[in-house]
Amino acid sequence: MELFPLPAFSDNYIWTLHNGQRALVVDPGESDGVLAWLDQRDLQLDTILITHHHADHTGGVAALREATGARVVGPAFEPMPEPLQRVSAGEHVDVLGLRFEVIEVPGHTAGHIAFYAAEAEGTPLLFCGDTLFSGGCGRLFEGTPAQMLDSLTRLAALPAATRVCCTHEYTLSNLKFAQAIEPDNSDLAAYTQHCQRQRSLNFPTLPSSIGLEKRINPFLRTAEATVVQSARNHEPATTTDAVSVFATLRTWKNNFK
């Protein structure tokens, strides 16, 4: 089974997984690159997984469905390119011999979902869309800080080895912000150097892992004393409550340069 992030637009990834014959793709914002990738490898597209409704994640769905006849699976409570199989928390999707659990993760959008396979050739696999990024998290377009923090907490509870397959190459900008929050975090410093090397070679920084994110991602570290203090230094009205800390961090990140 081969996992590969197919670049799209300026900083999107369309995650692909195949077994040498059949493939799945996640959040295809465009179709041409996916069709070329399938043709080059002589693969049949089996399933399209969608995490949320934004156009850079759904724009290629109709053309791919028409060209390949692939099954489309997406969130139950968001506007989607019909027809598709709609799923919500507690349900699962079987594809390529893997069972993906559906996890509801509202915050970036109101009905955002993630797909989690506990058994994927020995290492769990998470397709999390724009909820969790390496070193960061998605903007709150439709949800509240409390919702997003709850969603991130749910993802952080997954096994440490879980591969985190998010859909944007935002890692270096996220790590710049993370280092402003925790300048003395040695894990963060080492990871930043690694990601800088990856990008200098035009390699992806992803996938990350849940275990790594819990050590370096400030949005998963809202109970850490260093993160709390940085948030309160930036916005004195911040309390020690995790939602308050998260809200300050997210607002700060929105305008961080």
Side-chain angles (χ1 to χ4, degrees):
M1 197 79 77
E2 182 178 342
L3 177 71
F4 179 71
L6 186 66
F9 308 121
S10 62
D11 55 29
N12 281 64
Y13 288 128
I14 300 170
W15 283 96
T16 67
L17 187 68
H18 74 87
N19 61 10
Q21 297 178 311
R22 304 184 73 79
L24 72 83
V25 299
V26 184
D27 288 346
E30 58 89 18
S31 59
D32 289 349
V34 176
L35 290 171
W37 177 83
L38 292 167
D39 185 62
Q40 289 165 5
R41 290 158 181 79
D42 194 25
L43 297 170
Q44 175 65 40
L45 183 58
D46 183 286
T47 300
I48 300 167
L49 302 179
I50 309 173
T51 63
H52 66 291
H53 68 82
H54 287 161
D56 63 323
H57 296 250
T58 63
V61 170
L64 288 173
R65 185 200 296 109
E66 183 176 349
T68 67
R71 171 180 59 158
V72 181
V73 183
F77 306 114
E78 297 214 343
M80 284 284 119
E82 299 284 357
L84 80 161
Q85 176 185 345
R86 292 181 174 271
V87 292
S88 57
E91 298 184 270
H92 64 265
V93 181
D94 293 322
V95 53
L96 304 184
L98 301 177
R99 172 156 292 190
F100 285 93
E101 175 189 347
V102 178
I103 306 173
E104 290 185 352
V105 284
H108 181 67
T109 65
H112 200 304
I113 61 173
F115 297 92
Y116 170 69
E119 295 294 333
E121 296 193 319
T123 309
L125 183 60
L126 174 69
F127 296 120
C128 54
D130 286 358
T131 297
L132 174 63
F133 294 128
S134 188
C137 71
R139 287 177 180 258
L140 303 184
F141 289 120
E142 299 175 10
T144 67
Q147 283 180 312
M148 182 63 110
L149 179 60
D150 182 65
S151 295
L152 293 173
T153 301
R154 196 172 298 120
L155 297 182
L158 296 174
T162 301
R163 289 168 285 175
V164 176
C165 300
C166 43
T167 46
H168 288 279
E169 184 58 76
Y170 289 165
T171 308
L172 288 182
S173 63
N174 287 339
L175 296 181
K176 182 179 178 181
F177 177 70
Q179 288 190 303
I181 306 302
E182 290 192 282
D184 299 323
N185 183 327
S186 59
D187 289 323
L188 177 56
Y191 182 55
T192 299
Q193 290 184 343
H194 164 74
C195 291
Q196 288 171 337
R197 287 193 299 270
Q198 289 293 99
R199 296 309 295 152
S200 72
L201 298 170
N202 201 34
F203 293 159
T205 60
L206 303 167
S208 177
S209 72
I210 290 293
L212 173 62
E213 293 305 314
K214 289 167 74 172
R215 298 195 302 274
I216 61 92
N217 189 327
F219 295 99
L220 300 187
R221 295 171 58 79
T222 53
E224 294 292 326
T226 50
V227 176
V228 173
Q229 191 58 56
S230 288
R232 298 188 75 180
N233 289 345
H234 179 76
E235 175 49 71
T238 305
T239 70
T240 58
D241 177 75
V243 174
S244 178
V245 174
F246 177 87
T248 292
L249 293 178
R250 186 59 262 180
T251 301
W252 185 0
K253 178 64 169 66
N254 290 346
N255 303 298
F256 185 80
K257 302 296 183 183

